[in-house]
Amino acid sequence: MPFEAPLMSDPLPPFLPWNPLFPASAVFLAVAFVWCWSRAQKLPAEVSRANSLKPCQAQVTNSRPSPPQAEMPTVPLYYQSQIQPISDRPQLPAAAPRAVSKELSHWTAQFEAARVKQPYDAFLVLDVEATCLQGAGFDWPNEIIEWPVCLLRWKDRSSKGMASQLEVVDEFRSFVKPTWRPQLSEFCTKLTGIAQSQVNLAPTFPKVLKMFARFLAQHGLIDPRNGRVLQRICWCSDGPFDIRDFVVKQCFISKIPMPLWLRGDVLDVRSLVSGWVATRPFDGQQARARLTTAYHFRSLNIPQQLRVLGLGQFQGREHCGMDDTRNIARVLIELARRGVRLVPNTPINPNRRWAWMGRPGEVLEYYFN
């Protein structure tokens, strides 16, 4: 068959070099290919980077490479918790992937916020031992036979009164000779561990108070001339009994007024710990149910206070006045470290009277016959 040339009126096949749309199509396809290739290269890097960020940072996508990661600075030991089974203090993050200095400043501020304003300069922890009979209650005329005190001061108190670290700076201890009934009962000796010979050779209560006043003056807490208080001191005890009952009774029996530096409200550590633990969010309602009955806090003794604060076992002998005082000081130090404000919570009436009281220094014997 003879060859017939195509007529010029026939359309040219599409996408051939002689098609006028070919240059534009080629450019479009090239640009699309380059864009798809670049996205395919960036996508794995962005996914990996998003997975390494915190949840709050994963929403931010940055095509620029992330800066090199800095090592976490060494944190002072003060910020590292030791044994805190129910601690409410903030914890440091395990790692700070970026902006380390900013993150550290944030957490440092959180720890500083755990410190609270503490209005008192010094704390005097007291746990006396007194004469007692088996079965006799707090209405009996007990006489003090041991006067132990721990003096605590702040280590980190700022100019604004912010503090959280207490320490024991000194101790005072003296046995006391009873005068109304100088013979100790067998029950009292077994309970306190104090022998009759120890109280026989001890000074009487007025002399012990003079010795203790010199101790306070040496630490700049009172004026040695008139007993005026020079610093804000807070008396602390396990329960209200030591000053509210024993000291008031003893001052009456010894026929002396309560010293100025011994007057005022006291900090009942037992009440403070019981109330603080009952309001913590640990273990939910079960923990609060164990510590509260009929809307009143259960009373926690010293060993229970130590355990609930994660401080271990009681150190020493229970009902030894000095050992009791030292363990109460441990509780007080831990409460301060956890950011608890230490202020008096129990009023004391130095003029309180009992039915067995006659004239000053007189115990009406017929109440006990």
Side-chain angles (χ1 to χ4, degrees):
M1 179 182 292
F3 173 78
E4 293 182 0
L7 298 177
M8 295 302 296
S9 60
D10 293 342
L12 295 174
F15 306 111
L16 293 178
W18 51 79
N19 193 322
L21 298 177
F22 178 79
S25 301
V27 172
F28 174 81
L29 292 175
V31 171
F33 175 80
V34 171
W35 182 84
C36 292
W37 181 83
S38 63
R39 291 297 300 170
Q41 295 296 321
K42 293 179 180 179
L43 184 59
E46 290 180 357
V47 172
S48 175
R49 182 167 175 266
N51 291 335
S52 65
L53 295 177
K54 295 179 179 179
C56 61
Q57 296 173 327
Q59 300 175 0
V60 181
T61 303
N62 191 352
S63 60
R64 293 178 299 176
S66 59
Q69 305 298 323
E71 295 183 357
M72 186 67 178
T74 303
V75 181
L77 183 61
Y78 164 62
Y79 296 129
Q80 297 177 356
S81 60
Q82 299 297 322
I83 303 176
Q84 299 186 34
I86 57 173
S87 175
D88 60 349
R89 294 174 66 87
Q91 304 294 319
L92 281 175
R98 46 188 310 194
V100 175
S101 60
K102 185 176 181 180
E103 289 287 332
L104 183 58
S105 299
H106 167 73
W107 285 100
T108 302
Q110 292 291 322
F111 278 102
E112 293 298 326
R115 301 170 67 195
V116 298
K117 188 172 183 179
Q118 301 286 0
Y120 285 86
D121 304 313
F123 298 86
L124 296 169
V125 181
L126 172 69
D127 192 276
V128 303
E129 297 301 325
T131 58
C132 52
L133 294 177
Q134 188 170 10
F138 284 105
D139 291 333
W140 198 73
N142 314 87
E143 293 184 89
I144 294 176
I145 57 177
E146 183 182 2
W147 183 268
V149 177
C150 284
L151 170 60
L152 290 82
R153 287 188 181 274
W154 298 108
K155 294 195 297 182
D156 64 336
R157 197 164 184 233
S158 67
S159 58
K160 296 183 179 180
M162 308 296 289
S164 64
Q165 296 186 58
L166 273 176
E167 64 176 345
V168 177
V169 297
D170 207 349
E171 295 178 343
F172 178 92
R173 185 190 192 189
S174 176
F175 293 108
V176 186
K177 183 177 182 179
T179 57
W180 173 56
R181 290 195 176 177
Q183 187 67 32
L184 303 182
S185 66
E186 182 180 356
F187 172 78
C188 182
T189 300
K190 290 182 178 180
L191 179 67
T192 64
I194 300 176
Q196 184 67 49
S197 59
Q198 291 176 303
V199 297
N200 289 342
L201 300 175
T204 59
F205 186 70
K207 293 181 180 179
V208 171
L209 287 187
K210 291 181 179 179
M211 296 163 54
F212 185 69
R214 289 195 294 268
F215 171 85
L216 297 178
Q218 290 174 358
H219 287 279
L221 298 176
I222 65 171
D223 189 327
R225 297 168 297 182
N226 52 26
R228 183 172 61 89
V229 178
L230 301 178
Q231 300 183 33
R232 299 199 68 183
I233 58 176
C234 177
W235 285 92
C236 311
S237 60
D238 176 44
F241 322 106
D242 294 84
I243 296 180
R244 186 194 68 183
D245 298 333
F246 298 133
V247 172
V248 173
K249 293 177 186 178
Q250 186 63 66
C251 288
F252 173 84
I253 294 174
S254 299
K255 296 191 291 186
I256 59 173
M258 184 178 291
L260 294 176
W261 42 264
L262 196 49
R263 293 172 178 261
D265 299 345
V266 302
L267 172 55
D268 179 356
V269 179
R270 175 180 297 199
S271 174
L272 180 63
V273 174
S274 301
W276 180 83
V277 171
T279 58
R280 294 301 95 190
F282 74 101
D283 288 344
Q285 296 181 353
Q286 294 181 354
R288 287 191 289 275
R290 291 196 302 268
L291 294 170
T292 56
T293 303
Y295 304 102
H296 293 284
F297 297 130
R298 287 186 183 177
S299 181
L300 300 177
N301 58 30
I302 300 176
Q304 290 172 334
Q305 295 171 39
L306 293 169
R307 287 196 297 270
V308 81
L309 290 172
L311 297 177
Q313 299 297 319
F314 185 97
Q315 296 178 0
R317 182 189 188 280
E318 292 187 45
H319 298 294
C320 166
M322 195 71 250
D323 289 341
D324 286 348
T325 300
R326 289 169 178 166
N327 283 276
I328 298 171
R330 292 173 59 200
V331 171
L332 204 65
I333 291 172
E334 178 64 14
L335 290 174
R337 192 185 69 82
R338 293 171 181 258
V340 178
R341 195 165 183 260
L342 305 178
V343 293
N345 57 9
T346 303
I348 300 298
N349 178 16
N351 299 317
R352 185 182 179 188
R353 291 293 177 264
W354 282 261
W356 49 264
M357 290 182 173
R359 293 186 300 270
E362 180 187 11
V363 177
L364 303 179
E365 296 283 350
Y366 61 83
Y367 273 91
F368 310 102
N369 294 331

